[in-house]
Amino acid sequence: MKYAIVYSSRSGNTALLAEALKEGLPKEGCRYFGTADLAQKDANAWEAVTGSKLVLLGFWTDKGNCDEKSASVLKKLRNQKIFLFGTAGFGGSEEYFQKILTAVKQQADPSNTFVGSYLCQGKMSVSVRRRYETMLAEKPGDKKILGMLENFDRAQNHPNEEDCGQLLARAGALVSD
Ligand SMILES: Cc1cc2nc3c(=O)[nH]c(=O)nc-3n(C[C@H](O)[C@H](O)[C@H](O)COP(=O)(O)O)c2cc1C
């Protein structure tokens, strides 16, 4: 099956997932691998993306939705099968991931079909932890802030090999159809 991997990544987490797909999926079917920016700037790249049977679109979570660059690609796609993958700083709840995915899908044209998805946590900047620490200093023992610190620390080793393996299992089943 002809497929394209298009992704947007600010600090490298979603890029790791994209690389895992590139390495793990059958090479012969790959029509495009690259960033959302490049896919839209280069006419040949865009043709390769839209000429694919399946678009694997990767995003990083920005305010509960996909980032602007991946959203820009998503909004332009028509009559395409789309597999969404991405990373989010907050995790531990499938419900939260589903909320993000629902918001992302709402941005797409209804002619497209979503055929699968995979989200996992992605590490955040240390400045975020410093902010939480300052908050905790102001409210010692606050359970909510402690939970935010725990979440931050949990995110630090993601995406990991297990995440990449799960992503590949889901996407691989579609590509080899
Ligand atoms: C400006 C900004 C907004 C973010 N908003 C969210 C959010 O709403 N929910 C969330 O779970 N993570 C949020 N994050 C965390 C990132 O989605 C997460 O760290 C992601 O793995 C970054 O992916 P990347 O390394 O591919 O850029 C935000 C990060 C930044 C920098």
Side-chain angles (χ1 to χ4, degrees):
M1 184 196 261
K2 290 174 188 162
Y3 65 89
I5 302 170
V6 187
Y7 68 93
S8 171
S9 182
R10 179 172 145 153
S11 63
N13 294 329
T14 307
L16 277 176
L17 294 182
E19 290 286 343
L21 286 172
K22 185 187 179 193
E23 289 310 308
L25 294 177
K27 304 250 181 304
E28 60 278 11
C30 188
R31 298 287 307 272
Y32 176 80
F33 172 85
T35 64
D37 260 353
L38 201 65
Q40 295 173 93
K41 270 188 204 144
D42 178 345
N44 289 335
W46 189 247
E47 215 178 293
V49 171
T50 53
S52 298
K53 280 236 166 195
L54 176 68
V55 178
L56 299 121
L57 181 63
F59 64 88
W60 61 273
T61 305
D62 185 2
K63 296 176 212 77
N65 211 315
C66 62
D67 65 276
E68 268 177 31
K69 290 174 181 175
S70 56
S72 167
V73 168
L74 185 60
K75 285 175 188 165
K76 287 183 187 142
L77 295 176
R78 298 286 180 276
N79 303 303
Q80 206 83 49
K81 282 186 180 166
I82 303 169
F83 178 94
L84 291 172
F85 66 96
T87 59
F90 299 95
S93 137
E94 190 52 37
E95 202 183 332
Y96 180 62
F97 287 163
Q98 285 307 326
K99 213 168 131 188
I100 295 168
L101 288 166
T102 302
V104 174
K105 287 175 188 173
Q106 275 167 4
Q107 302 204 56
D109 186 82
S111 65
N112 296 293
T113 311
F114 290 96
V115 293
S117 58
Y118 180 78
L119 282 190
C120 69
Q121 265 192 300
K123 61 189 101 43
M124 290 176 277
S125 153
V126 76
S127 64
V128 174
R129 197 180 205 286
R130 298 284 169 266
R131 199 168 66 233
Y132 295 163
E133 285 166 0
T134 307
M135 286 161 70
L136 190 66
E138 283 163 12
K139 281 186 179 178
D142 185 280
K143 286 218 166 57
K144 193 169 170 217
I145 304 168
L146 285 169
M148 285 151 76
L149 279 165
E150 254 176 47
N151 176 77
F152 179 95
D153 293 342
R154 215 174 24 246
Q156 287 316 94
N157 69 340
H158 292 279
N160 57 24
E161 264 185 45
E162 200 185 324
D163 299 325
C164 292
Q166 283 181 21
L167 165 68
L168 205 52
R170 282 194 203 175
L174 294 166
V175 167
S176 61
D177 266 356

PDB file of all heavy atoms in Angstrom, residues 111-130:
ATOM      1  N   SER A 111     -15.041  14.443   4.060  1.00  0.00           N
ATOM      2  CA  SER A 111     -14.790  13.442   3.002  1.00  0.00           C
ATOM      3  C   SER A 111     -13.699  12.445   3.408  1.00  0.00           C
ATOM      4  O   SER A 111     -13.550  11.394   2.783  1.00  0.00           O
ATOM      5  CB  SER A 111     -14.385  14.142   1.698  1.00  0.00           C
ATOM      6  OG  SER A 111     -13.140  14.793   1.874  1.00  0.00           O
ATOM      7  N   ASN A 112     -12.938  12.777   4.448  1.00  0.00           N
ATOM      8  CA  ASN A 112     -11.856  11.879   4.891  1.00  0.00           C
ATOM      9  C   ASN A 112     -12.377  10.791   5.832  1.00  0.00           C
ATOM     10  O   ASN A 112     -13.431  10.940   6.440  1.00  0.00           O
ATOM     11  CB  ASN A 112     -10.797  12.700   5.639  1.00  0.00           C
ATOM     12  CG  ASN A 112     -10.136  13.720   4.744  1.00  0.00           C
ATOM     13  OD1 ASN A 112      -9.415  13.368   3.814  1.00  0.00           O
ATOM     14  ND2 ASN A 112     -10.397  15.000   4.999  1.00  0.00           N
ATOM     15  N   THR A 113     -11.599   9.713   5.927  1.00  0.00           N
ATOM     16  CA  THR A 113     -11.948   8.629   6.853  1.00  0.00           C
ATOM     17  C   THR A 113     -10.785   8.400   7.816  1.00  0.00           C
ATOM     18  O   THR A 113      -9.638   8.230   7.377  1.00  0.00           O
ATOM     19  CB  THR A 113     -12.165   7.300   6.081  1.00  0.00           C
ATOM     20  OG1 THR A 113     -13.026   7.560   4.986  1.00  0.00           O
ATOM     21  CG2 THR A 113     -12.780   6.234   6.970  1.00  0.00           C
ATOM     22  N   PHE A 114     -11.087   8.386   9.107  1.00  0.00           N
ATOM     23  CA  PHE A 114     -10.047   8.091  10.092  1.00  0.00           C
ATOM     24  C   PHE A 114     -10.014   6.588  10.331  1.00  0.00           C
ATOM     25  O   PHE A 114     -11.015   6.009  10.740  1.00  0.00           O
ATOM     26  CB  PHE A 114     -10.297   8.873  11.381  1.00  0.00           C
ATOM     27  CG  PHE A 114     -10.052  10.338  11.188  1.00  0.00           C
ATOM     28  CD1 PHE A 114     -11.094  11.205  10.899  1.00  0.00           C
ATOM     29  CD2 PHE A 114      -8.762  10.843  11.228  1.00  0.00           C
ATOM     30  CE1 PHE A 114     -10.864  12.558  10.677  1.00  0.00           C
ATOM     31  CE2 PHE A 114      -8.513  12.195  11.001  1.00  0.00           C
ATOM     32  CZ  PHE A 114      -9.571  13.050  10.732  1.00  0.00           C
ATOM     33  N   VAL A 115      -8.871   5.998  10.049  1.00  0.00           N
ATOM     34  CA  VAL A 115      -8.789   4.539  10.088  1.00  0.00           C
ATOM     35  C   VAL A 115      -8.053   4.015  11.330  1.00  0.00           C
ATOM     36  O   VAL A 115      -7.986   2.810  11.537  1.00  0.00           O
ATOM     37  CB  VAL A 115      -8.130   3.980   8.805  1.00  0.00           C
ATOM     38  CG1 VAL A 115      -9.013   4.219   7.593  1.00  0.00           C
ATOM     39  CG2 VAL A 115      -6.747   4.590   8.582  1.00  0.00           C
ATOM     40  N   GLY A 116      -7.491   4.910  12.123  1.00  0.00           N
ATOM     41  CA  GLY A 116      -6.800   4.463  13.330  1.00  0.00           C
ATOM     42  C   GLY A 116      -6.039   5.610  13.964  1.00  0.00           C
ATOM     43  O   GLY A 116      -5.922   6.698  13.390  1.00  0.00           O
ATOM     44  N   SER A 117      -5.532   5.353  15.153  1.00  0.00           N
ATOM     45  CA  SER A 117      -4.799   6.411  15.839  1.00  0.00           C
ATOM     46  C   SER A 117      -3.901   5.826  16.931  1.00  0.00           C
ATOM     47  O   SER A 117      -4.129   4.708  17.403  1.00  0.00           O
ATOM     48  CB  SER A 117      -5.775   7.405  16.471  1.00  0.00           C
ATOM     49  OG  SER A 117      -6.619   6.739  17.370  1.00  0.00           O
ATOM     50  N   TYR A 118      -2.915   6.603  17.311  1.00  0.00           N
ATOM     51  CA  TYR A 118      -2.085   6.236  18.459  1.00  0.00           C
ATOM     52  C   TYR A 118      -1.527   7.500  19.108  1.00  0.00           C
ATOM     53  O   TYR A 118      -0.888   8.316  18.438  1.00  0.00           O
ATOM     54  CB  TYR A 118      -0.911   5.322  18.049  1.00  0.00           C
ATOM     55  CG  TYR A 118      -0.080   4.950  19.249  1.00  0.00           C
ATOM     56  CD1 TYR A 118      -0.519   3.976  20.131  1.00  0.00           C
ATOM     57  CD2 TYR A 118       1.105   5.626  19.545  1.00  0.00           C
ATOM     58  CE1 TYR A 118       0.201   3.675  21.282  1.00  0.00           C
ATOM     59  CE2 TYR A 118       1.831   5.321  20.691  1.00  0.00           C
ATOM     60  CZ  TYR A 118       1.366   4.348  21.548  1.00  0.00           C
ATOM     61  OH  TYR A 118       2.064   4.050  22.693  1.00  0.00           O
ATOM     62  N   LEU A 119      -1.783   7.632  20.387  1.00  0.00           N
ATOM     63  CA  LEU A 119      -1.214   8.755  21.147  1.00  0.00           C
ATOM     64  C   LEU A 119      -0.448   8.224  22.349  1.00  0.00           C
ATOM     65  O   LEU A 119      -0.843   7.222  22.947  1.00  0.00           O
ATOM     66  CB  LEU A 119      -2.317   9.676  21.693  1.00  0.00           C
ATOM     67  CG  LEU A 119      -3.005  10.674  20.764  1.00  0.00           C
ATOM     68  CD1 LEU A 119      -3.857  11.625  21.593  1.00  0.00           C
ATOM     69  CD2 LEU A 119      -1.999  11.463  19.958  1.00  0.00           C
ATOM     70  N   CYS A 120       0.631   8.901  22.687  1.00  0.00           N
ATOM     71  CA  CYS A 120       1.344   8.564  23.926  1.00  0.00           C
ATOM     72  C   CYS A 120       1.872   9.854  24.535  1.00  0.00           C
ATOM     73  O   CYS A 120       1.804  10.917  23.923  1.00  0.00           O
ATOM     74  CB  CYS A 120       2.480   7.575  23.664  1.00  0.00           C
ATOM     75  SG  CYS A 120       3.856   8.256  22.730  1.00  0.00           S
ATOM     76  N   GLN A 121       2.415   9.737  25.735  1.00  0.00           N
ATOM     77  CA  GLN A 121       2.988  10.905  26.377  1.00  0.00           C
ATOM     78  C   GLN A 121       4.300  11.311  25.714  1.00  0.00           C
ATOM     79  O   GLN A 121       4.976  10.466  25.100  1.00  0.00           O
ATOM     80  CB  GLN A 121       3.277  10.589  27.846  1.00  0.00           C
ATOM     81  CG  GLN A 121       2.170  11.021  28.777  1.00  0.00           C
ATOM     82  CD  GLN A 121       2.601  10.967  30.230  1.00  0.00           C
ATOM     83  OE1 GLN A 121       2.957   9.893  30.708  1.00  0.00           O
ATOM     84  NE2 GLN A 121       2.549  12.082  30.911  1.00  0.00           N
ATOM     85  N   GLY A 122       4.646  12.573  25.842  1.00  0.00           N
ATOM     86  CA  GLY A 122       5.927  13.062  25.338  1.00  0.00           C
ATOM     87  C   GLY A 122       6.535  14.005  26.363  1.00  0.00           C
ATOM     88  O   GLY A 122       5.816  14.797  26.981  1.00  0.00           O
ATOM     89  N   LYS A 123       7.815  13.884  26.551  1.00  0.00           N
ATOM     90  CA  LYS A 123       8.489  14.686  27.587  1.00  0.00           C
ATOM     91  C   LYS A 123       8.306  16.186  27.354  1.00  0.00           C
ATOM     92  O   LYS A 123       8.173  16.639  26.222  1.00  0.00           O
ATOM     93  CB  LYS A 123       9.968  14.314  27.662  1.00  0.00           C
ATOM     94  CG  LYS A 123      10.748  14.559  26.401  1.00  0.00           C
ATOM     95  CD  LYS A 123      12.140  13.974  26.493  1.00  0.00           C
ATOM     96  CE  LYS A 123      12.366  12.654  25.790  1.00  0.00           C
ATOM     97  NZ  LYS A 123      11.803  12.450  24.463  1.00  0.00           N
ATOM     98  N   MET A 124       8.331  16.919  28.457  1.00  0.00           N
ATOM     99  CA  MET A 124       8.140  18.375  28.380  1.00  0.00           C
ATOM    100  C   MET A 124       9.407  19.102  28.836  1.00  0.00           C
ATOM    101  O   MET A 124      10.279  18.512  29.464  1.00  0.00           O
ATOM    102  CB  MET A 124       6.961  18.782  29.266  1.00  0.00           C
ATOM    103  CG  MET A 124       5.623  18.314  28.722  1.00  0.00           C
ATOM    104  SD  MET A 124       4.262  18.685  29.833  1.00  0.00           S
ATOM    105  CE  MET A 124       4.336  17.310  30.969  1.00  0.00           C
ATOM    106  N   SER A 125       9.435  20.376  28.545  1.00  0.00           N
ATOM    107  CA  SER A 125      10.588  21.203  28.891  1.00  0.00           C
ATOM    108  C   SER A 125      10.731  21.307  30.419  1.00  0.00           C
ATOM    109  O   SER A 125       9.731  21.365  31.139  1.00  0.00           O
ATOM    110  CB  SER A 125      10.397  22.589  28.284  1.00  0.00           C
ATOM    111  OG  SER A 125      11.078  23.542  29.032  1.00  0.00           O
ATOM    112  N   VAL A 126      11.979  21.358  30.859  1.00  0.00           N
ATOM    113  CA  VAL A 126      12.244  21.409  32.303  1.00  0.00           C
ATOM    114  C   VAL A 126      11.677  22.693  32.924  1.00  0.00           C
ATOM    115  O   VAL A 126      11.382  22.741  34.127  1.00  0.00           O
ATOM    116  CB  VAL A 126      13.766  21.218  32.570  1.00  0.00           C
ATOM    117  CG1 VAL A 126      14.539  22.489  32.240  1.00  0.00           C
ATOM    118  CG2 VAL A 126      14.022  20.769  33.988  1.00  0.00           C
ATOM    119  N   SER A 127      11.460  23.709  32.110  1.00  0.00           N
ATOM    120  CA  SER A 127      10.881  24.964  32.619  1.00  0.00           C
ATOM    121  C   SER A 127       9.466  24.724  33.162  1.00  0.00           C
ATOM    122  O   SER A 127       9.021  25.411  34.086  1.00  0.00           O
ATOM    123  CB  SER A 127      10.872  26.036  31.532  1.00  0.00           C
ATOM    124  OG  SER A 127      10.035  25.629  30.481  1.00  0.00           O
ATOM    125  N   VAL A 128       8.791  23.731  32.600  1.00  0.00           N
ATOM    126  CA  VAL A 128       7.441  23.387  33.085  1.00  0.00           C
ATOM    127  C   VAL A 128       7.541  22.866  34.517  1.00  0.00           C
ATOM    128  O   VAL A 128       6.767  23.245  35.397  1.00  0.00           O
ATOM    129  CB  VAL A 128       6.768  22.341  32.148  1.00  0.00           C
ATOM    130  CG1 VAL A 128       5.443  21.867  32.705  1.00  0.00           C
ATOM    131  CG2 VAL A 128       6.588  22.909  30.747  1.00  0.00           C
ATOM    132  N   ARG A 129       8.555  21.988  34.746  1.00  0.00           N
ATOM    133  CA  ARG A 129       8.715  21.440  36.102  1.00  0.00           C
ATOM    134  C   ARG A 129       9.060  22.550  37.101  1.00  0.00           C
ATOM    135  O   ARG A 129       8.542  22.584  38.208  1.00  0.00           O
ATOM    136  CB  ARG A 129       9.800  20.343  36.128  1.00  0.00           C
ATOM    137  CG  ARG A 129       9.698  19.490  37.380  1.00  0.00           C
ATOM    138  CD  ARG A 129      10.739  18.399  37.455  1.00  0.00           C
ATOM    139  NE  ARG A 129      10.289  17.297  38.294  1.00  0.00           N
ATOM    140  CZ  ARG A 129      10.207  17.312  39.616  1.00  0.00           C
ATOM    141  NH1 ARG A 129      10.544  18.409  40.268  1.00  0.00           N
ATOM    142  NH2 ARG A 129       9.779  16.263  40.286  1.00  0.00           N
ATOM    143  N   ARG A 130       9.919  23.470  36.657  1.00  0.00           N
ATOM    144  CA  ARG A 130      10.287  24.591  37.537  1.00  0.00           C
ATOM    145  C   ARG A 130       9.038  25.396  37.934  1.00  0.00           C
ATOM    146  O   ARG A 130       8.910  25.843  39.066  1.00  0.00           O
ATOM    147  CB  ARG A 130      11.290  25.528  36.832  1.00  0.00           C
ATOM    148  CG  ARG A 130      12.603  24.878  36.481  1.00  0.00           C
ATOM    149  CD  ARG A 130      13.530  24.694  37.677  1.00  0.00           C
ATOM    150  NE  ARG A 130      14.659  23.841  37.335  1.00  0.00           N
ATOM    151  CZ  ARG A 130      14.719  22.519  37.523  1.00  0.00           C
ATOM    152  NH1 ARG A 130      13.716  21.872  38.075  1.00  0.00           N
ATOM    153  NH2 ARG A 130      15.780  21.831  37.167  1.00  0.00           N
TER     154      ARG A 130
END
